Amino acid sequence: MAFQSNTGSEEDVGELFSDCFWEIKGYKQVVQRIDDGARLTDGLAQMLSERAELEMKYAKGLKQWSRKWEDAVNKSPEYGTLENSLKALTVEANETADIHNDIRSKINGGLLESIKHWKNSNYQKAFVKWKQTAAAQEGFDKAQRPWAKRFIKVEKAKKAYHLATRTLEQYKQQLELYESDPMTATDQIRKMKDKISKAESESDKTRDKYKDRLNELDMANQQYINEMTVEFEKCQAMEKLRMEFFAKTLTDYLGHVDISENPRLRSSFQNIQHGINGLSPDEDLKRYADTRGTGMDMNWPTFTEYDEADSYPPIGRMAMKDTEPEASHYPVYSDPPAKKNPFNGFEDGDSEWGDTLPTAHHAPVPPTSEVKVMAMFDYTGAEADELSFKEGDLLVQLDEEDENGWCRGRYQGVEGLYPASYVQRVK
């Protein structure tokens, strides 16, 4: 919203804005930070949601792997302590899967709910803006409007004085040309001197008015600084709340995913902890104030003598359109292409494992048969062709499990795919 003068005859001064907080509309980047905070909160939620999904997929893969190879070891000719060692690998995988399922539950049930609640408590929508953004915009507008009107008057008075001074200098130069030319009529010289006299009077008058306007602005500066500082500190306080909440959320997140007792993971988690311990909202806010807010230096207007080398663009209408910031982009993860297990068994007569290893607990189902199975876990289909069901629900298995661990079945009259490891056959 551009500031307008009190009288309709005054034009707005164009291009008076800059990145300096104290100049007209210079606070817009501070207001924009409120909208940025809401977008960053959504981004954090998306980031953690994708991590929870990865934890679920990883845990599911570990459990499938554990069941498959536990059954394979049981049916193999391996024996003794080496057999126990191989079985221990499957036990570790199953326990690790439980850990990662627990991480997923804590992220979905704790962190994401906390983020949602915090955002709803600190950002309320009002038409197309957040109420907090609108309130900050209104507060800065109100604080700046009286000072901005005086500033515009200073710019107009400055331009008028410099224009009058330039006109006076031009008349004096013309008079010198007339007086140096013997062919110039006496009447022309007299008229030029009259113009010079009037121009001198106009220059003095505009000069006095320019100084008066500067004095008025100087007297308003301190009140302007005080009121703008009050509004700025409100925005700083809101941003500090966001930064502290993010720091707490990241700390809680680390507490959930940190399994750094594993020596291979300890180093990477310590690096994350070091980064979180280094968070300092007060230090960051102080740096922000010095570079974007009340700590910035201001080149307050001072009296400037006319300089013939200066050029003055025509006065235009002030207009600053709100710039829609670019939306934050967060990476979207996708599953890697399915790979064949290189340990896919041997033909009859070969040594070691014997026949191709079946998937644990899921006997082949003839294509034409229908077998009742019961869900052991909740599952929400991620794709349009997948079924969704709850623990304890009964499904009909239509096809045998494929090489990727999926079955085709029917639930409540709808056919689709589901992970074979999530169900067990009903006896």
Side-chain angles (χ1 to χ4, degrees), residues 359-360 362-365 397 399-407 420-421:
T359 301
H362 295 282
V365 180
Q397 182 176 333
D399 289 333
E400 63 179 320
E401 178 182 349
D402 64 20
E403 63 180 1
N404 294 321
W406 291 82
C407 290
S421 61

Side-chain angles (χ1 to χ4, degrees), residues 22-33:
W22 298 108
E23 297 191 9
I24 295 177
K25 294 295 183 182
Y27 60 79
K28 288 180 70 66
Q29 55 194 342
V30 179
V31 175
Q32 179 62 51
R33 187 174 58 165

Side-chain angles (χ1 to χ4, degrees), residues 38-233:
R39 276 187 292 274
L40 289 169
T41 302
D42 290 339
L44 178 63
Q46 180 184 349
M47 183 180 184
L48 298 188
S49 177
E50 290 181 5
R51 175 58 186 263
E53 183 179 357
L54 289 174
E55 294 288 342
M56 181 269 291
K57 291 179 178 179
Y58 180 52
K60 181 176 70 174
L62 281 176
K63 283 188 173 292
Q64 290 175 344
W65 182 89
S66 176
R67 282 193 289 265
K68 173 182 177 180
W69 289 100
E70 180 184 11
D71 187 63
V73 170
N74 287 334
K75 294 179 180 179
S76 76
E78 193 56 81
Y79 59 93
T81 58
L82 188 52
E83 179 186 11
N84 292 335
S85 296
L86 291 173
K87 288 182 177 180
L89 297 181
T90 65
V91 172
E92 178 274 331
N94 193 62
E95 291 177 349
T96 301
D98 290 339
I99 292 173
H100 286 278
N101 271 326
D102 185 52
I103 291 174
R104 174 208 176 200
S105 298
K106 289 178 179 178
I107 292 177
N108 282 337
L111 294 182
L112 293 182
E113 286 299 317
S114 174
I115 292 173
K116 179 180 178 181
H117 175 74
W118 185 87
K119 184 183 177 186
N120 290 339
S121 298
N122 289 275
Y123 294 92
Q124 292 83 43
K125 207 71 175 177
F127 299 105
V128 296
K129 287 185 177 181
W130 298 110
K131 287 184 179 180
Q132 289 73 15
T133 304
Q137 177 76 42
E138 182 180 354
F140 281 121
D141 279 348
K142 183 178 179 181
Q144 193 175 78
R145 190 176 295 114
W147 183 89
K149 290 179 179 179
R150 290 183 173 87
F151 179 78
I152 292 172
K153 290 179 180 179
V154 167
E155 291 297 306
K156 291 180 183 297
K158 173 184 173 181
K159 181 179 181 298
Y161 167 63
H162 287 183
L163 180 61
T165 305
R166 181 173 60 182
T167 301
L168 175 60
E169 292 298 322
Q170 290 173 346
Y171 286 166
K172 287 181 178 180
Q173 292 173 7
Q174 189 66 39
L175 178 61
E176 290 178 1
L177 292 175
Y178 285 171
E179 290 178 340
S180 63
D181 184 0
M183 300 299 295
T184 304
T186 303
D187 188 52
Q188 274 187 302
I189 294 175
R190 180 183 59 78
K191 289 181 178 179
M192 182 54 64
K193 288 182 177 179
D194 289 342
K195 287 184 177 181
I196 290 174
S197 177
K198 291 179 181 179
E200 288 175 341
S201 176
E202 180 67 16
S203 178
D204 291 341
K205 183 174 68 174
T206 55
R207 184 175 185 273
D208 292 340
K209 185 174 182 179
Y210 179 22
K211 288 186 174 182
D212 289 342
R213 292 289 185 249
L214 271 177
N215 288 334
E216 292 173 2
L217 187 66
D218 288 342
M219 289 187 291
N221 282 344
Q222 190 56 55
Q223 180 178 354
Y224 170 60
I225 291 172
N226 293 341
E227 293 179 357
M228 290 291 283
T229 299
V230 169
E231 298 302 323
F232 180 78
E233 290 303 326

Side-chain angles (χ1 to χ4, degrees), residues 344-362:
N344 58 354
F346 300 89
E347 298 294 334
D348 289 340
D350 288 340
S351 59
E352 317 256 17
W353 297 102
D355 294 336
T356 301
L357 300 176
T359 301
H361 306 313
H362 295 282

